[in-house]
Amino acid sequence: MDFRRISGLPPYVFTIIDGLKVEARRAGRDVVDLGFGNPDLPSPQIAVDKLAEAAHNTRNHRYSSSRGIPKLREAVAALYERRFGVVLDPEREILTTIGAKEGFSHLMWVLLQPGDTAIVPTPSYPIHIWGPYFAGASTLQVPMGDGDDGAGYIDRVMETWELGSPKPRAVVLSFPHNPTTSTVELADLQRLVDWARERDVALVHDLAYADMCFDGWQPPSILQCEGAKEVAVELYSLTKSFSMAGWRVAFMLGRTDVIAALQQLKSYLDYGTFQPIQIAATVTLNEAQDYPAELSAVYESRRNALVDGLARAGWDIHKPRGTMFAWARIPEPYREMGSIEFATHLIRECDVAVSPGVGFGTGGDGFVRFALIENEQRIAQAARSIRRGLTRLH
């Protein structure tokens, strides 16, 4: 049978590295896994306690609401006012989604159809590239650039749109960016909003790493921009900010007609996240307001351990201002390998697992991504192993 939608999907390259990691561990080797970005820190205790309490109430076992219970939408509205100074209407400008990945994918269904085009970054979190494809649309992939080149990405988006035919209907962006860790300033987001308002382009900003930021820097929300609600929606998630990955709680916020369209679609597709999870998330947003900063401090310490340890190994990489990752250009003596071969080499010679950059699109093939999902001691161990194993660096 010829299966629809998936026939064009490339092999999931991360499974190659995962298989090698499993094989090495079965052989008794101690592999430090810095590959999959799966948060290792616990969810807030208040979330766990409230979930257990709410789950014992049988009234919460019934169907919930696909748009999210009112108090949860009110809680995220309060967070946005505290964090960004942005006032949102919980009824018309906020929708709960079953994780940001689900919200983004279904958003593409209401924004795009066959014959439409979206602008997406490359390299990119895979669903940002493949979400438009699942909607039957095509993409124009715009290079993200190295370091903190968010302004450069925005310039390239504008140039690509002007040259594109037919004109793209949507622009996807995500800062701080996974995998490149690139960041952007509010003034550059404002430039993009002003540009989009003149061209009737929908902006989709995935703010997955809203609270994972270092060195005193704070990521902006696109909804802080003047006129943003006319053209933009933003995704905010509890996955990274509150280390609640498996809970699948996120929000689509902003432009009212887009929120209403997604809400209408979701009313046919789901009944929302299990209500005890929504109740626990509500209490967490209201009563664990300091938790994101506590998590961020842990990840900043891990970032320092990785960047400093690799520098001692002779591998200088960009020091990220945000996310839970580091994006590392393959060192010159190994660059001819490509990212899959180099990531394989790191497992076999250094007992360190990373993600090959090509898994995030062709624009990532000269890089690997480190996930900061081990403690400082394990990360330092990985850096020492890399120093021993990458002999061409000495």
Side-chain angles (χ1 to χ4, degrees):
M1 181 176 288
D2 180 20
F3 293 103
R4 311 304 190 218
R5 303 293 184 205
I6 64 170
S7 58
L9 286 175
Y12 203 56
V13 300
F14 304 117
T15 60
I16 299 171
I17 304 304
D18 194 56
L20 291 170
K21 177 188 70 180
V22 171
E23 181 183 312
R25 285 180 169 170
R26 283 176 179 163
R29 287 159 51 200
D30 181 19
V31 176
V32 181
D33 186 2
L34 304 178
F36 182 37
N38 195 358
D40 64 308
L41 298 171
S43 304
Q45 188 60 45
I46 194 170
V48 177
D49 293 343
K50 183 55 68 171
L51 172 65
E53 177 188 320
H56 281 291
N57 185 337
T58 57
R59 288 178 300 178
N60 292 326
H61 296 182
R62 307 177 73 181
Y63 289 131
S64 187
S65 165
S66 64
R67 64 189 301 210
I69 60 176
K71 287 190 180 300
L72 179 54
R73 287 180 278 117
E74 291 167 9
V76 81
L79 178 146
Y80 257 66
E81 190 164 8
R82 285 193 311 270
R83 174 76 168 74
F84 302 111
V86 172
V87 176
L88 292 165
D89 178 356
E91 289 299 311
R92 300 173 64 244
E93 296 175 336
I94 300 176
L95 178 66
T96 303
T97 64
I98 308 173
K101 207 172 184 180
E102 177 270 331
F104 179 86
S105 301
H106 289 153
L107 177 66
M108 295 297 103
W109 291 13
V110 299
L111 291 182
L112 304 170
Q113 65 182 3
D116 290 334
T117 304
I119 291 176
V120 301
T122 182
S124 185
Y125 186 53
I127 197 61
H128 292 164
I129 293 175
W130 292 100
Y133 171 84
F134 292 142
S138 59
T139 64
L140 291 172
Q141 296 187 30
V142 173
M144 175 57 69
D146 293 344
D148 292 318
D149 190 29
Y153 175 71
I154 287 171
D155 290 336
R156 290 186 286 276
V157 162
M158 295 175 180
E159 180 182 354
T160 300
W161 190 92
E162 300 296 347
L163 296 174
S165 181
K167 295 302 183 189
R169 296 193 83 228
V171 171
V172 176
L173 61 157
S174 179
F175 295 104
H177 183 249
N178 174 19
T180 71
T181 75
S182 182
T183 57
V184 74
E185 300 299 338
L186 184 59
D188 291 302
L189 289 178
Q190 184 68 63
R191 285 196 299 121
L192 184 63
V193 167
D194 294 343
W195 172 87
R197 290 172 71 190
E198 294 177 359
R199 290 161 180 80
D200 193 28
V201 177
L203 304 179
V204 181
H205 185 219
D206 187 351
L207 190 56
Y209 300 93
D211 302 290
M212 204 163 285
C213 44
F214 315 133
D215 305 323
W217 178 75
Q218 294 289 319
S221 162
I222 201 169
L223 299 179
Q224 291 175 276
C225 298
E226 183 180 350
K229 290 182 182 181
E230 298 173 26
V231 293
V233 289
E234 184 163 80
L235 280 153
Y236 179 89
S237 171
L238 271 61
T239 291
K240 306 304 190 308
S241 292
F242 290 86
S243 208
M244 294 172 67
W247 300 62
R248 312 314 300 141
V249 181
F251 308 90
M252 190 78 69
L253 314 108
R255 180 172 160 173
T256 55
D257 60 341
V258 175
I259 298 296
L262 181 57
Q263 180 179 316
Q264 184 176 355
L265 177 70
K266 281 175 62 63
S267 70
Y268 281 85
L269 295 175
D270 68 72
Y271 290 105
T273 301
F274 185 42
Q275 189 152 299
I277 290 177
Q278 294 192 52
I279 293 168
T282 303
V283 173
T284 300
L285 285 168
N286 290 333
E287 299 185 24
Q289 297 176 17
D290 295 332
Y291 205 69
E294 295 170 11
L295 293 176
S296 188
V298 172
Y299 284 109
E300 182 170 356
S301 179
R302 293 177 177 185
R303 176 209 63 173
N304 294 340
L306 178 69
V307 173
D308 295 346
L310 291 181
R312 287 191 291 271
W315 187 0
D316 291 319
I317 69 170
H318 172 70
K319 194 173 190 178
R321 290 200 295 174
T323 76
M324 57 184 293
F325 306 110
W327 185 240
R329 184 180 290 277
I330 297 172
E332 182 63 41
Y334 295 89
R335 204 156 291 170
E336 79 285 352
M337 284 185 170
S339 60
I340 294 178
E341 187 181 353
F342 182 68
T344 300
H345 185 78
L346 285 179
I347 284 193
R348 289 178 171 163
E349 302 300 325
C350 309
D351 289 333
V352 176
V354 299
S355 295
V358 73
F360 304 97
T362 54
D365 199 24
F367 297 81
V368 293
R369 191 197 69 178
F370 290 86
L372 305 174
I373 53 170
E374 294 267 15
N375 62 39
E376 291 92 330
Q377 291 74 30
R378 293 281 286 170
I379 288 173
Q381 175 186 329
R384 290 192 300 270
S385 297
I386 287 171
R387 184 176 184 179
R388 287 193 299 269
L390 296 187
T391 55
R392 297 185 205 169
L393 295 183
H394 310 314

